[in-house]
Amino acid sequence: MRSLSPLLILLSTPTVHSWGELGHRTVGYLAEKYLTTDATAMVTELLVNDKGYDISDAALWADSVKRRTGYTHTRVWHYIDAEDDPPTQCGIKYNRDCKPKKGCIVSAIVNMTSRISSPKLDSTQHKEALMFLIHFLGDIHQPLHTEALDRGGNDIHACFDSHCSKKENLHSIWDTQILHKSRGLPASESDDKVLKDAAQTWATELFEASSLRVWNWDTVAECKDLKKAEDCALKWAGESNKLVCGYVLERGVEWIEQNDLGGEYFEGAVPVVDEMVSKAGLRLGTWLNEIAGARRRVGLLREQERMEM
Ligand code: ADE
Ligand code: ZN
Ligand code: ZN
C-alpha cells in the first residue's frame, strides 16, 4: 500500500512542538538559498510534488509523524538530553546523553545522512530520511533541544507578554513565542500561508545579512565531511547547549518562573535566535550539497539528469 501523501499528513497535523512551524520553515527556505544544482535537483526529485510541496513543508513532517503508529520511536530523535547542570555547568557527553538503542538527535542525524545516499533503500525511504534530516538540523539549533533539565524546559512554567496559561513554558517560548514576536506575528498565528510568507521574508533577511554577521562563516559551514557526521552533529549540539548556560537559563529557573519573558529577556533572545536559525540554514544547505554529491557518486540520479551529464 502506498503511504499517505505528505500533504495529507500535514493537513492532519496538530500544532508542532520543536522549533515551531515558523522556525523550521525559515531554516528550510534559508538552506534552499545555499543549494547547488545537484542538491536542488535532489530536493525536487524527492520532496516536491505537483501539489506544491516545498522544502519548508518537508521541514515540518518529522513533527507531524512522531506520535503516529509506527513512528513513536522517532520522538527521542528530536533532542539530546544533556545531563549537565545549567546555568553553572553545561556540556554534552555523547555516551552519557544519547540513549543506547533508542538514540538521540545526534545519532539520528548520522543515520539519516547515510540512509539518503544508500543504494539499498528505496525512494520512499530516501524521502523520509531527507525530511527527518531537514527537521533535525533545525531542532539541533534550538538550545533547549540539547538539555535534559525539566525535559528541555517543557516543565518550567513561564509567562510571555502576560500569557501565563498552563501551556506556556520555557520550551514553547523558545520554540515559538520569541520567534513570532520577533517577526511581528501574533502568538496564535497558525495559518500556513501567513507562516510561509513570514518564513520566506525572514530567510531572505538572514541570507542577506549573513555576510555582515560577526561570527565566522567559514567555521559555521566547516562541517562538510559526511563520514564525520557524528563529530559535526556533536559540534552543533555543543554550540546549542552552550547557549543554555550562556543565555536561556543564565538567570536561573527561579528567575524565569517569576518574571515575564516578553520584555528584556525577549530582547536578549532575538539575536540568539537569529544566529541559530542562520547557522541551521547554512549548515543544512552545506550538508545537503554534500549529500547530493554522495548520491551522484553512487548513481542515485534521475535518468534525465544522468543523460544531461
Ligand atoms: N523531551 C525530553 N527532553 C526534551 C528536550 N530536550 N527537547 C524536547 N523534548 C524533550
Ligand atoms: Zn522536532
Ligand atoms: Zn521544541
Side-chain angles (χ1 to χ4, degrees):
M1 197 185 84
R2 269 187 65 98
S3 57
L4 208 56
S5 100
L7 197 70
L8 285 177
I9 291 172
L10 275 177
L11 290 173
S12 58
T13 301
T15 42
V16 290
H17 297 286
S18 314
W19 271 141
E21 185 170 336
L22 177 62
H24 281 294
R25 285 192 185 281
T26 305
V27 171
Y29 285 136
L30 183 54
E32 198 172 37
K33 296 179 190 294
Y34 293 103
L35 297 184
T36 57
T37 313
D38 267 5
T40 303
M42 170 180 79
V43 167
T44 307
E45 180 197 339
L46 291 176
L47 303 180
V48 179
N49 60 27
D50 54 359
K51 296 190 187 73
Y53 197 67
D54 71 10
I55 193 168
S56 91
D57 298 315
L60 309 179
W61 176 83
D63 268 337
S64 76
V65 298
K66 69 189 182 190
R67 289 179 195 83
R68 191 175 301 250
T69 312
Y71 286 92
T72 53
H73 65 286
T74 68
R75 275 184 85 149
V76 297
W77 297 351
H78 293 249
Y79 53 85
I80 181 165
D81 271 346
E83 301 280 349
D84 51 5
D85 191 19
T88 50
Q89 205 270 315
C90 275
I92 291 176
K93 290 188 181 153
Y94 189 56
N95 293 334
R96 176 193 65 187
D97 302 328
C98 196
K99 306 281 174 293
K101 295 210 183 94
K102 289 189 171 173
C104 67
I105 194 164
V106 172
S107 60
I109 287 174
V110 176
N111 283 339
M112 296 307 148
T113 297
S114 73
R115 286 175 71 89
I116 301 180
S117 43
S118 166
K120 293 189 191 124
L121 301 179
D122 65 25
S123 67
T124 303
Q125 291 168 312
H126 289 150
K127 176 183 184 157
E128 294 202 353
L130 180 55
M131 292 195 289
F132 274 127
L133 204 51
I134 293 170
H135 183 88
F136 296 150
L137 262 281
D139 274 352
I140 204 170
H141 288 83
Q142 207 282 48
L144 288 167
H145 278 244
T146 65
E147 176 54 52
L149 186 77
D150 294 320
R151 294 193 305 122
N154 275 295
D155 297 333
I156 300 175
H157 181 251
C159 298
F160 194 86
D161 284 343
S162 305
H163 293 282
C164 299
S165 78
K166 278 218 178 74
K167 56 178 211 289
E168 263 80 31
N169 64 68
L170 186 64
H171 192 102
S172 67
I173 285 168
W174 276 88
D175 271 350
T176 308
Q177 263 106 317
I178 291 168
L179 285 69
H180 278 219
K181 182 169 180 177
S182 161
R183 301 307 301 169
L185 294 174
S188 56
E189 182 60 62
S190 62
D191 182 282
D192 279 353
K193 169 89 175 67
V194 173
L195 290 169
K196 273 188 160 184
D197 284 351
Q200 285 274 24
T201 308
W202 192 12
T204 301
E205 282 177 30
L206 293 176
F207 185 69
E208 284 169 0
S210 60
S211 58
L212 309 170
R213 300 266 170 192
V214 287
W215 60 80
N216 184 337
W217 284 94
D218 291 339
T219 315
V220 171
E222 80 191 356
C223 265
K224 287 195 169 138
D225 187 348
L226 301 180
K227 290 194 291 301
K228 294 192 179 141
E230 188 175 291
D231 292 345
C232 291
L234 270 174
K235 175 190 136 113
W236 301 333
E239 259 180 48
S240 276
N241 171 270
K242 204 168 169 197
L243 285 168
V244 174
C245 284
Y247 193 79
V248 180
L249 282 168
E250 192 186 11
R251 301 164 203 217
V253 173
E254 207 170 302
W255 188 94
I256 301 270
E257 285 172 333
Q258 287 165 5
N259 288 271
D260 192 300
L261 304 186
E264 182 227 337
Y265 182 89
F266 159 76
E267 299 293 339
V270 170
V272 173
V273 163
D274 276 340
E275 175 179 338
M276 295 313 272
V277 171
S278 297
K279 287 180 169 176
L282 172 59
R283 285 168 173 164
L284 175 60
T286 307
W287 203 244
L288 295 182
N289 289 343
E290 295 305 313
I291 289 172
R295 280 174 63 90
R296 179 180 274 279
R297 285 193 294 279
V298 297
L300 282 167
L301 273 179
R302 280 190 304 192
E303 286 304 319
Q304 191 194 355
E305 283 145 27
R306 222 176 275 139
M307 284 176 331
E308 282 166 5
M309 277 170 63

